[in-house]
Amino acid sequence: MFQFIRKQIHNHLVERKIRRTRFVTKDGHCNIKFGTTEYHNHFAFLMDFWTTFVEIHWCFVIVLFAAAFTGSWFIFGLLWYSLAKNNGDLEVLQNSSESQRIKCIENINSLTTAFLYSLETQTTIGYGGRALTGHCPGTVALLIIQSLMGAIINCFMCGLILAKISLPKRRAKTVTFSETAVICLWKGNLCLQIRVANLRKTLLIGSHIYGKLLRTTITPEGETIILDQVNIDFLVDAGKDNLFFVCPLTLYHVIDKSSPFSEMAADTLQQQDFELVVFLDGTAESTSLSCQVRTSYLPQEIKWGYSFLPVISRTKGGKYRVDLSNFSKTEPAATPHCACCFHNEHNKELTLHQHVREGIDNLGFDVIDLQDSVDVTEKG
């Protein structure tokens, strides 16, 4: 029992360390903070006010929505009250002997009634108790100004809410990557594999997949470059562009001599200091909006010598079935110890003569009984 608790605490500390050092979170958010206020001093964010409003949190949008309308009603209420007071409408109500005097606004006798009249005017409620008489040019001009300002506020707030609801990153929430990546043999090559699934039936048109390996490097001149980016090319059987993204796909990166993973081995992978960031760009079929999905993998989340379980099968009734419960599950696979071992001609021949499980994606769409799989390891 004590060992179990100790192991859980150790795993929790490791996970906290992983989350703290991760540059891109698993759900695609960038863990970065700007340490300068230069742009704030130059009002850069206020100059691009529309993007600023679209990107703020919903709680601030709701507060802004209420403040914009309530504030405009109150400000114009003060203007209506001042017009009525300057015209003597309030004195007419207090002195019955001057009740025949022409008034600018009917039934405004306090600041509260002026606020109610402003609200009724801007929202076009029109209860009929308070109304303009038409004898004061100033009230007509103020009515026009408030109507125009109310329309502007309506358009801005409705556009802001619609823009936040239809943000392309919401579509990215329905695209998911596997929790771990694996390194195994695939079609005669040593490959790094990652799975991605589209949870909606609507496609992502023109999908493009690529990766960046982030690590700290030292140049020949002795300069230390933090978060140096190295391109990682990912492929699927159909290529890397314009994918038919209707079912889960397995992406693979061939670990050849030009790959940064060629310097790593099964026993040294966990000691490496890097972060693999994977990007998927596409256009939503239903909205025609471009979106990008991101995730990242640390060395602790890459399994050497494992392959993914199949997720696609064909039922006896002839329908195709996707089992997402196996989406991130892996099983041991015969894999060379390192890329150098694989590229060595002698070791390569020995490796290719080993029995290696093929058909990770079940390319033949055979009927698969997923309960018969052995040596299965859970994701994570």
Side-chain angles (χ1 to χ4, degrees):
M1 183 66 181
F2 177 76
Q3 293 180 351
F4 175 78
I5 296 176
R6 184 177 179 180
K7 182 179 179 180
Q8 293 298 321
I9 295 175
H10 174 73
N11 294 337
H12 178 68
L13 293 176
V14 171
E15 290 178 359
R16 288 187 60 185
K17 182 178 179 181
I18 291 175
R19 287 195 296 267
R20 185 171 62 252
T21 59
R22 191 187 297 275
F23 181 71
V24 178
T25 61
K26 298 296 287 185
D27 57 356
H29 291 86
C30 295
N31 183 23
I32 187 170
K33 179 181 180 180
F34 292 98
T36 178
T37 58
E38 177 182 357
Y39 292 103
H40 295 275
N41 295 334
H42 290 85
F43 300 100
F45 293 104
L46 292 179
M47 294 177 64
D48 187 16
F49 66 93
W50 177 251
T51 304
T52 302
F53 286 139
V54 171
E55 291 181 348
I56 61 177
H57 295 290
W58 270 107
C59 57
F60 295 107
V61 173
I62 295 175
V63 172
L64 178 64
F65 184 90
F69 283 102
T70 305
S72 65
W73 297 336
F74 181 74
I75 292 173
F76 281 103
L78 292 177
L79 296 177
W80 289 117
Y81 179 79
S82 64
L83 284 177
K85 185 176 181 179
N86 292 335
N87 189 59
D89 294 354
L90 303 182
E91 298 175 0
V92 171
L93 295 174
Q94 296 173 359
N95 190 353
S96 59
S97 62
E98 298 182 3
S99 59
Q100 301 300 323
R101 184 176 177 179
I102 298 176
K103 294 181 290 186
C104 289
I105 311 172
E106 294 285 354
N107 297 327
I108 288 186
N109 52 18
S110 64
L111 183 58
T112 302
T113 55
F115 174 79
L116 292 175
Y117 176 72
S118 174
L119 188 154
E120 295 168 10
T121 300
Q122 190 166 327
T123 57
T124 65
I125 293 177
Y127 289 121
R130 288 167 286 270
L132 296 181
T133 60
H135 296 288
C136 301
T139 58
V140 177
L142 186 59
L143 178 65
I144 295 174
I145 294 174
Q146 183 172 8
S147 299
L148 294 176
M149 289 300 299
I152 293 174
I153 295 175
N154 283 334
C155 293
F156 181 84
M157 297 308 303
C158 291
L160 175 61
I161 293 176
L162 180 61
K164 286 190 68 65
I165 293 176
S166 60
L167 279 177
K169 63 182 181 180
R170 305 300 179 190
R171 177 62 176 88
K173 299 296 183 180
T174 56
V175 178
T176 181
F177 287 89
S178 57
E179 291 293 330
T180 59
V182 298
I183 295 179
C184 62
L185 290 177
W186 174 248
K187 294 188 175 180
N189 294 305
L190 185 64
C191 298
L192 169 71
Q193 293 186 339
I194 296 171
R195 264 189 177 160
V196 59
N198 179 18
L199 302 181
R200 290 188 179 273
K201 292 184 178 180
T202 56
L203 302 180
L204 284 177
I205 304 173
S207 298
H208 175 60
I209 300 170
Y210 58 98
K212 297 287 185 180
L213 189 70
L214 308 181
R215 58 183 180 181
T216 301
T217 59
I218 300 177
T219 63
E221 294 78 14
E223 179 184 0
T224 301
I225 302 178
I226 300 177
L227 295 179
D228 186 24
Q229 300 184 16
V230 180
N231 292 326
I232 303 294
D233 292 328
F234 281 96
L235 303 170
V236 294
D237 292 334
K240 63 178 180 179
D241 297 321
N242 300 323
L243 306 177
F244 185 42
F245 196 12
V246 69
C247 60
L249 299 176
T250 300
L251 319 178
Y252 64 90
H253 163 71
V254 178
I255 303 178
D256 52 17
K257 295 182 179 180
S258 62
S259 171
F261 292 96
S262 62
E263 305 172 356
M264 306 176 191
D267 53 352
T268 62
L269 176 64
Q270 305 300 321
Q271 286 75 40
Q272 300 294 323
D273 184 16
F274 66 84
E275 182 173 346
L276 175 62
V277 184
V278 184
F279 303 85
L280 189 148
D281 298 337
T283 302
E285 184 181 30
S286 55
T287 61
S288 299
L289 296 176
S290 300
C291 64
Q292 183 182 84
V293 191
R294 300 181 294 268
T295 193
S296 68
Y297 297 91
L298 296 179
Q300 296 82 1
E301 298 168 338
I302 300 177
K303 296 182 177 181
W304 193 298
Y306 286 83
S307 62
F308 287 115
L309 286 177
V311 294
I312 301 176
S313 61
R314 190 167 55 186
T315 64
K316 296 180 179 179
K319 294 184 178 180
Y320 298 106
R321 178 174 178 266
V322 177
D323 185 11
L324 292 179
S325 63
N326 281 354
F327 181 68
S328 293
K329 291 181 180 180
T330 58
E331 63 179 358
T335 308
H337 176 264
C338 60
C340 296
C341 300
F342 176 75
H343 292 296
N344 182 281
E345 291 297 326
H346 176 69
N347 291 333
K348 183 175 180 181
E349 291 178 1
L350 294 177
T351 302
L352 293 178
H353 278 85
Q354 295 179 8
H355 176 70
V356 181
R357 181 181 176 276
E358 298 182 353
I360 293 179
D361 272 334
N362 192 17
L363 300 180
F365 296 103
D366 297 327
V367 178
I368 298 174
D369 187 358
L370 299 175
Q371 303 299 326
D372 294 339
S373 301
V374 294
D375 296 330
V376 177
T377 60
E378 297 290 338
K379 64 179 181 179

